[in-house]
Amino acid sequence: MQATRRRLAAAGLALALTGAALALGAGSAAHADTISCSQAYLPLPDPSCTPGVTNPDVTQDTIDSTICVSGWTKTVRPPASYTTALKIQQIAEYGYTDTSTADYEEDHFIPLELGGSPTDPGNLWPEPRYDTGTGYLASNKDTVENKLKTAVCNGSVTLADAQNAIATDWTTALSTLGLG
């Protein structure tokens, strides 16, 4: 009985992975072999795979009607069906040996809170939730994102400077901008 459940679970996972690849337009298993992202940049994403992409609707002139409005990110956040499928694909592209989706946050490199693109794969990556030997966790980046959003919305930092600082190196973004 337990062996049957394991086989069914494995078959279900295989089907989900195939569906995810097709939903993302991969079309074939060969696609995963054509993209390779390096883990050498952790806790940052590989810049050739995830350079960071901004949302053209968010500019310095529109922050008071976009990112500085409480709850605005909920209006642009992509559905889990999209981000989970992309996470599965990108876990393979990054060559992570741990393939449990629960161990990764499909992170917006330039966060929605700072006008990052909600759906562009160039702005999303599977950020490990655990310490990869760098001393940083995904939750550390979330704290930086919130502080930068506050600084942008109170006018102490421009949107472009915050986006550049977080895309250059989120671990030093606050100190680079004189905020931490």
Side-chain angles (χ1 to χ4, degrees):
M1 184 69 158
Q2 220 172 25
T4 301
R5 283 188 197 154
R6 280 196 296 265
R7 282 194 302 271
L8 286 173
L13 178 59
L15 183 59
L17 290 171
T18 301
L22 292 174
L24 289 168
S28 73
H31 180 268
D33 294 335
T34 62
I35 297 175
S36 178
C37 304
S38 175
Q39 297 176 39
Y41 300 93
L42 290 173
L44 307 173
D46 180 334
S48 67
C49 296
T50 313
V53 179
T54 58
N55 179 344
D57 294 333
V58 180
T59 65
Q60 189 68 45
D61 291 336
T62 66
I63 62 172
D64 290 332
S65 61
T66 56
I67 66 169
C68 296
V69 174
S70 179
W72 179 81
T73 59
K74 291 177 187 171
T75 69
V76 297
R77 187 171 303 282
S81 59
Y82 175 79
T83 57
T84 299
L86 184 60
K87 184 191 309 189
I88 291 167
Q89 176 185 325
Q90 291 179 330
I91 286 171
E93 291 170 357
Y94 271 86
Y96 291 128
T97 54
D98 172 5
T99 59
S100 171
T101 58
D103 291 337
Y104 302 90
E105 173 182 329
E106 189 65 3
D107 182 60
H108 289 89
F109 186 41
I110 298 176
L112 298 179
E113 294 91 329
L114 293 176
S117 173
T119 57
D120 191 312
N123 195 46
L124 288 152
W125 75 294
E127 181 181 21
R129 293 185 189 275
Y130 52 86
D131 185 354
T132 58
T134 64
Y136 294 101
L137 304 172
S139 59
N140 298 132
K141 183 173 181 274
D142 296 339
T143 300
V144 172
E145 294 169 359
N146 292 332
K147 288 181 179 182
L148 288 175
K149 177 193 170 193
T150 297
V152 169
C153 292
N154 72 20
S156 59
V157 172
T158 66
L159 176 64
D161 285 346
Q163 290 171 334
N164 184 55
I166 203 158
T168 300
D169 185 345
W170 70 262
T171 68
T172 61
L174 295 175
S175 60
T176 296
L177 295 171
L179 299 171

